[in-house]
Amino acid sequence: VAAGDVDGIDALMEPLHPADIADLLEQVSDGERESWLALWSRGIDGEVLSELDWGLREEVIALLPGDVLADAVRELDSDDVVDLVEDLEDDQIEAILEVLEPADRVAVEQALAYPEETAGRLMQREVVHAPEHWTVGEMIDYLRAHAGQLPEQFYHVILTDPRMKPTGYVTLGRLLSSARQTPLQDIVEDSFRVIPATQHEDDVAYAFNQYHLISAPVVDEDGRLVGVITIDDAMIVLDEGAEEEILKLAGVGEESSLSDRVLETTKQRFPWLFVNLITAILASLVIAQFEDAIAQIVALAVLMPIVASMGGNAGTQSLTVAVRALATRDLTSSNLMRVVLREGVVGLINGAAFALVMGIVGLVWFGSPALGGVIAAAMVINLFVAGLAGILIPVVLDRLNIDPALASGAFVTTVTDVVGFFAFLGLAVVFLL
Amino acid sequence: VAAGDVDGIDALMEPLHPADIADLLEQVSDGERESWLALWSRGIDGEVLSELDWGLREEVIALLPGDVLADAVRELDSDDVVDLVEDLEDDQIEAILEVLEPADRVAVEQALAYPEETAGRLMQREVVHAPEHWTVGEMIDYLRAHAGQLPEQFYHVILTDPRMKPTGYVTLGRLLSSARQTPLQDIVEDSFRVIPATQHEDDVAYAFNQYHLISAPVVDEDGRLVGVITIDDAMIVLDEGAEEEILKLAGVGEESSLSDRVLETTKQRFPWLFVNLITAILASLVIAQFEDAIAQIVALAVLMPIVASMGGNAGTQSLTVAVRALATRDLTSSNLMRVVLREGVVGLINGAAFALVMGIVGLVWFGSPALGGVIAAAMVINLFVAGLAGILIPVVLDRLNIDPALASGAFVTTVTDVVGFFAFLGLAVVFLL
């Protein structure tokens, strides 16, 4: 790149898959990326743009010459164009829509009219469908006659009634292995699900995952076929969902990525650290109530972080299991009571086990059976409370329509810190002073 | 269920998808499940078994009458049988293998001969392939003639040379839309990837995700076609991978599930809590070095958890981003230095911001500018170290082939606790006493 060897770059990049080219662009530094694009913009096709992290897309699109961008965008299916433009600035969207064929432009604009994160945004409008009275032979003749206009990938033919309502679908495998005179009606699949265009993409992804769908027809509010969602779209949603959940649980902005700038990253992480500061100060206020006790027995200051830390970890275990189960819809009102009970009992048992360990540590280290007893009792209390808080807080947040992955951590930590310090120092005041 | 109304249950369960029936069985209590199965075992088909959590499968299989189990297993594709039996006890595997047709039995046994978590375990052996010199017409005639023996779902026809090496594939859509006399060679897809049977399933899932594959041929060590992996198998691996990562980051056993028993759950969580106890005791040992300082200035005991807690959270943020990036292969040696630098700078900036806040809190709360200065300095140091530890520890663990999702948390917390307490209390000794 440094030598400006365009043919060399060509030879190097030619055999790469668009997804790998996108990864390469994400991993080089900003300066390298710019000189790369200046030299080799003709290699950036639509698929590479689709594969880029959305933070970088805007930047790369701005750097591309107009004709390269136009070619890149024109070759994409309508759902990929929608995915490409939906996070861009308005003037960039306008510039991209302008270069599309009128029909594609209308398709993209209609998709953008659906709310964000709905099936309408995910679907592609290129659908292979047929009247329900056709035979296999008629279908094959139709497909041969329209070979040029078919979507790049399709897995089913959707049967529609005269009002364009989908009534069933036929897999291409059945179509290929049936005699020409077979009516399509005779080889439709048993199970058949339609997706409303306004359904949330998380529900779409759940249906694909739960029922192992490969593609599913999308219908408008009148039940008419308007598009199709294929598994690759659903997989992206699932993948992003899991990614977001991990990042939210850790208090990192849900859309953070390695190619973000320092300032962006700092801003994403600041709010969660700030919430944690409030939590920590609350815990300190609890400790401040016991300043006299600590001044008299400094060992309390030495041991108190252990109780809080164990509670925090046990709470994180329970809350992660709860957040996961809520996300996968395995935690419902029918098993909630049993799960809460289980977390409470697990907390008690582990609490008792660590109470024993810490009682001995307290006794051996500080030579005080009473101190050992106090830390043991505080451990049982805090691990029990941690188990219950870890399950109940996410469930309550979920009922209140607050994202449990995002908010549970702060609440649970507050509870375990406050309870941990209060139980340990409070018991110490009662039994040791 | 309580009334033993078999027809009522039948009517209720009939329209449900196997995945939903499995979810139902997972959510009821143990006793309910047993009476349910006693009444309604005929409804449990192979797909329901496949969908069950593996912890429950063993139990449900043990409860099923032999003939129901035999029917259930016989209807499954070979890859699903492999998935079903691989975690069972040997005698249960034997019982299931016995009821299979001899050909299926051989297929399952061959798959089980591949190491766990490899492509050989994931693949199905039912493959649609054709000699590379065939035409579309010959292919369609073949499929029609063998309609009964085709796999339930297939998306490609794989072309093979006379030695059974795959040379390319044709999508069913191209096959359907091409004239009968077209040679298959003319309509093969450009991109074509084969998967070695011994490849790890994580690498398989990565390839499906990265290159948007729908199905891919699997080859043995001689490059001969032995099976095919379809996207539904890859999706399960991806889904489990994300699930495991979340659970490991939280210190919960990677295969925990809501239907686990109390004792199992307790045992899964104990080890991580134990590691955390060691970490916490290490931190306490640091505090113990400063007992004299704390006895003189109790405010130190009140404020010290804040520094440690902020460091722990900042470290968790960095480490989660690092573990994610390692899992998605976005963190490579080419961008490592830039990412480390970024985390360090982000730590410094957020450290400075919170130093300011805490300096003021320390000053206002305890009326001591020196104490404010000490906590501010400790905050900058700890957040900087947290940023670096959060990225470097996962990377080093990964290089040492230790799973970073599992082990990073304990190491990072130890570093931020020890550094946090040592910096704050050490600076206090130097500047306040």
Side-chain angles (χ1 to χ4, degrees):
Chain A
V1 177
D5 174 6
V6 179
D7 292 334
I9 300 182
D10 249 8
L12 208 69
M13 304 291 274
E14 184 56 38
L16 290 184
H17 188 279
D20 293 327
I21 298 178
D23 281 354
L24 236 155
L25 284 173
E26 285 166 14
Q27 288 183 13
V28 298
S29 69
D30 293 351
E32 286 175 295
R33 186 158 47 238
E34 266 182 56
S35 44
W36 195 291
L37 288 172
L39 282 173
W40 199 69
S41 58
R42 62 178 147 136
I44 305 299
D45 61 13
E47 287 193 60
V48 174
L49 289 180
S50 288
E51 300 282 352
L52 277 177
D53 261 359
W54 72 267
L56 273 185
R57 270 187 207 165
E58 218 166 314
E59 193 186 316
V60 170
I61 287 175
L63 286 171
L64 286 182
D67 55 327
V68 175
L69 181 61
D71 284 347
V73 171
R74 267 191 222 117
E75 71 189 39
L76 289 173
D77 278 341
S78 64
D79 59 331
D80 293 325
V81 178
V82 171
D83 178 52
L84 187 66
V85 303
E86 61 184 357
D87 293 319
L88 297 180
E89 304 292 329
D90 282 346
D91 53 331
Q92 279 193 320
I93 298 181
E94 204 41 52
I96 287 180
L97 287 180
E98 257 170 33
V99 304
L100 290 176
E101 309 283 326
D104 290 337
R105 185 184 168 137
V106 170
V108 171
E109 282 174 340
Q110 282 176 347
L112 287 175
Y114 287 105
E116 273 186 50
E117 308 198 334
T118 59
R121 290 279 182 115
L122 281 184
M123 70 186 183
Q124 64 186 59
R125 306 189 61 95
E126 296 86 354
V127 192
V128 181
H129 59 96
E132 42 188 346
H133 57 79
W134 275 15
T135 62
V136 168
E138 287 174 295
M139 190 70 231
I140 292 181
D141 293 341
Y142 171 88
L143 290 172
R144 286 186 183 148
H146 295 81
Q149 293 110 284
L150 298 175
E152 224 178 291
Q153 294 273 352
F154 65 106
Y155 314 103
H156 293 108
V157 170
I158 297 165
L159 303 188
T160 49
D161 70 10
R163 300 178 50 225
M164 272 299 276
K165 294 197 179 168
T167 58
Y169 54 35
V170 174
T171 67
L172 300 191
R174 290 302 294 275
L175 206 53
L176 276 164
S177 58
S178 301
R180 282 187 67 89
Q181 67 277 17
T182 316
L184 293 181
Q185 284 290 4
D186 289 2
I187 54 172
V188 293
E189 294 295 293
D190 303 334
S191 74
F192 171 63
R193 284 164 199 279
V194 297
I195 293 175
T198 52
Q199 190 170 67
H200 193 276
E201 60 177 17
D202 289 345
D203 298 323
V204 175
Y206 175 79
F208 269 80
N209 199 22
Q210 175 84 341
Y211 306 117
H212 310 298
L213 306 178
I214 294 294
S215 74
V218 179
V219 295
D220 65 14
E221 60 271 35
D222 299 324
R224 276 193 290 259
L225 182 68
V226 289
V228 64
I229 293 179
T230 50
I231 186 153
D232 51 323
D233 307 312
M235 234 172 130
I236 292 171
V237 174
L238 267 186
D239 207 41
E240 286 178 351
E243 169 104 19
E244 279 178 22
E245 192 179 307
I246 294 175
L247 295 177
K248 283 189 287 190
L249 279 169
V252 188
E254 55 181 279
E255 290 199 316
S256 82
S257 106
L258 273 200
S259 45
D260 289 342
R261 302 270 184 292
V262 165
L263 270 183
E264 262 171 274
T265 308
T266 310
K267 270 194 269 175
Q268 280 163 358
R269 299 200 191 161
F270 186 89
W272 171 254
L273 289 174
F274 191 78
V275 169
N276 180 62
L277 183 66
I278 306 291
T279 297
I281 290 179
L282 272 177
S284 289
L285 286 174
V286 173
I287 301 173
Q289 306 311 309
F290 298 95
E291 281 193 3
D292 294 345
I294 294 172
Q296 288 177 53
I297 312 174
V298 182
L300 297 181
V302 174
L303 292 176
M304 67 183 187
I306 298 180
V307 179
S309 155
M310 292 296 284
N313 272 275
T316 303
Q317 290 180 332
S318 295
L319 92 82
T320 304
V321 170
V323 167
R324 259 307 39 212
L326 287 168
T328 56
R329 306 180 193 192
D330 288 330
L331 186 59
T332 60
S333 48
S334 75
N335 62 354
L336 176 62
M337 273 314 298
R338 260 199 319 285
V339 174
V340 170
L341 194 70
R342 186 188 75 163
E343 292 296 324
V345 175
V346 168
L348 274 181
I349 299 178
N350 268 331
F354 287 106
L356 192 69
V357 176
M358 273 316 294
I360 295 170
V361 170
L363 176 65
V364 173
W365 190 350
F366 293 97
S368 158
L371 183 59
V374 164
I375 195 166
M379 192 71 91
V380 177
I381 294 170
N382 206 20
L383 261 61
F384 176 64
V385 170
L388 293 185
I391 182 99
L392 290 175
I393 288 175
V395 169
V396 170
L397 289 174
D398 190 53
R399 296 268 159 99
L400 297 174
N401 276 319
I402 300 170
D403 183 348
L406 201 58
S408 299
F411 285 105
V412 172
T413 316
T414 306
V415 169
T416 56
D417 273 3
V418 167
V419 170
F421 289 129
F422 190 82
F424 178 59
L425 296 174
L427 288 170
V429 166
V430 174
F431 293 103
L432 299 181
L433 292 188
Chain B
V1 176
D5 173 6
V6 180
D7 292 334
I9 299 182
D10 249 8
L12 208 69
M13 303 291 275
E14 184 56 39
L16 288 185
H17 188 278
D20 293 327
I21 298 178
D23 281 354
L24 235 155
L25 284 173
E26 285 166 16
Q27 288 184 12
V28 298
S29 69
D30 293 350
E32 285 174 296
R33 186 158 47 238
E34 265 181 58
S35 45
W36 195 292
L37 288 172
L39 282 173
W40 199 70
S41 59
R42 62 181 146 134
I44 306 299
D45 61 13
E47 287 193 60
V48 174
L49 289 179
S50 288
E51 300 283 351
L52 276 177
D53 259 0
W54 72 266
L56 273 186
R57 270 187 208 165
E58 217 165 316
E59 192 186 317
V60 170
I61 287 175
L63 287 171
L64 286 182
D67 56 327
V68 175
L69 181 61
D71 284 346
V73 171
R74 268 193 221 114
E75 72 189 37
L76 289 174
D77 278 342
S78 65
D79 58 333
D80 293 325
V81 178
V82 171
D83 178 53
L84 187 66
V85 302
E86 61 183 357
D87 293 318
L88 296 180
E89 304 291 329
D90 283 345
D91 53 330
Q92 279 193 319
I93 299 181
E94 204 41 54
I96 287 180
L97 286 180
E98 258 170 32
V99 303
L100 290 176
E101 310 282 326
D104 290 337
R105 184 183 169 139
V106 170
V108 171
E109 282 174 340
Q110 281 176 347
L112 287 175
Y114 287 104
E116 274 185 51
E117 309 198 333
T118 59
R121 291 279 182 114
L122 281 184
M123 70 185 183
Q124 64 185 60
R125 306 188 62 97
E126 296 86 355
V127 193
V128 181
H129 60 95
E132 44 189 345
H133 57 78
W134 275 15
T135 62
V136 168
E138 287 174 295
M139 191 68 231
I140 291 181
D141 294 341
Y142 171 88
L143 290 172
R144 286 186 182 148
H146 295 81
Q149 294 109 285
L150 298 176
E152 224 177 290
Q153 293 274 354
F154 66 106
Y155 314 103
H156 293 110
V157 170
I158 297 164
L159 303 188
T160 49
D161 71 10
R163 300 178 49 222
M164 272 298 277
K165 295 196 177 168
T167 58
Y169 53 36
V170 174
T171 67
L172 300 190
R174 290 301 296 274
L175 205 53
L176 276 164
S177 58
S178 302
R180 282 186 67 90
Q181 68 276 17
T182 315
L184 293 181
Q185 284 289 4
D186 290 2
I187 54 171
V188 292
E189 294 295 292
D190 302 335
S191 73
F192 172 64
R193 284 163 201 281
V194 297
I195 293 176
T198 52
Q199 190 170 69
H200 193 276
E201 60 177 17
D202 288 345
D203 298 322
V204 175
Y206 175 79
F208 269 80
N209 199 22
Q210 175 84 341
Y211 306 117
H212 310 299
L213 305 179
I214 294 294
S215 75
V218 179
V219 295
D220 64 13
E221 61 271 34
D222 300 325
R224 277 192 290 259
L225 182 68
V226 289
V228 65
I229 293 178
T230 50
I231 186 153
D232 50 322
D233 307 311
M235 235 172 130
I236 291 171
V237 174
L238 268 186
D239 206 40
E240 286 178 351
E243 170 104 18
E244 279 178 23
E245 193 180 309
I246 294 175
L247 295 177
K248 283 190 288 191
L249 279 170
V252 187
E254 56 182 278
E255 291 199 317
S256 82
S257 106
L258 273 199
S259 46
D260 289 342
R261 303 267 184 294
V262 164
L263 270 181
E264 260 171 275
T265 307
T266 310
K267 269 195 269 174
Q268 279 163 358
R269 300 198 190 162
F270 186 89
W272 172 254
L273 289 175
F274 192 79
V275 169
N276 181 62
L277 183 67
I278 307 291
T279 297
I281 290 178
L282 273 177
S284 290
L285 286 173
V286 173
I287 301 173
Q289 305 312 308
F290 297 95
E291 281 193 1
D292 294 344
I294 294 171
Q296 288 176 55
I297 311 173
V298 182
L300 296 180
V302 175
L303 292 176
M304 68 184 186
I306 298 180
V307 179
S309 154
M310 293 296 284
N313 271 276
T316 303
Q317 291 180 331
S318 296
L319 93 83
T320 304
V321 170
V323 167
R324 263 298 48 208
L326 288 168
T328 56
R329 306 182 193 189
D330 288 330
L331 186 59
T332 61
S333 47
S334 75
N335 62 353
L336 176 62
M337 273 314 297
R338 260 199 319 284
V339 175
V340 170
L341 194 69
R342 186 188 75 164
E343 293 295 326
V345 175
V346 168
L348 274 182
I349 299 178
N350 269 331
F354 287 105
L356 192 68
V357 176
M358 274 314 295
I360 295 170
V361 170
L363 176 64
V364 173
W365 191 350
F366 294 97
S368 157
L371 184 59
V374 164
I375 196 166
M379 192 71 92
V380 177
I381 294 170
N382 206 20
L383 261 62
F384 176 64
V385 170
L388 293 185
I391 182 101
L392 290 175
I393 288 175
V395 169
V396 169
L397 289 174
D398 190 53
R399 295 268 159 99
L400 298 174
N401 276 320
I402 300 169
D403 184 348
L406 200 59
S408 299
F411 285 105
V412 172
T413 316
T414 306
V415 169
T416 56
D417 274 3
V418 167
V419 169
F421 288 129
F422 190 82
F424 178 59
L425 296 174
L427 288 170
V429 167
V430 174
F431 292 103
L432 299 181
L433 293 187

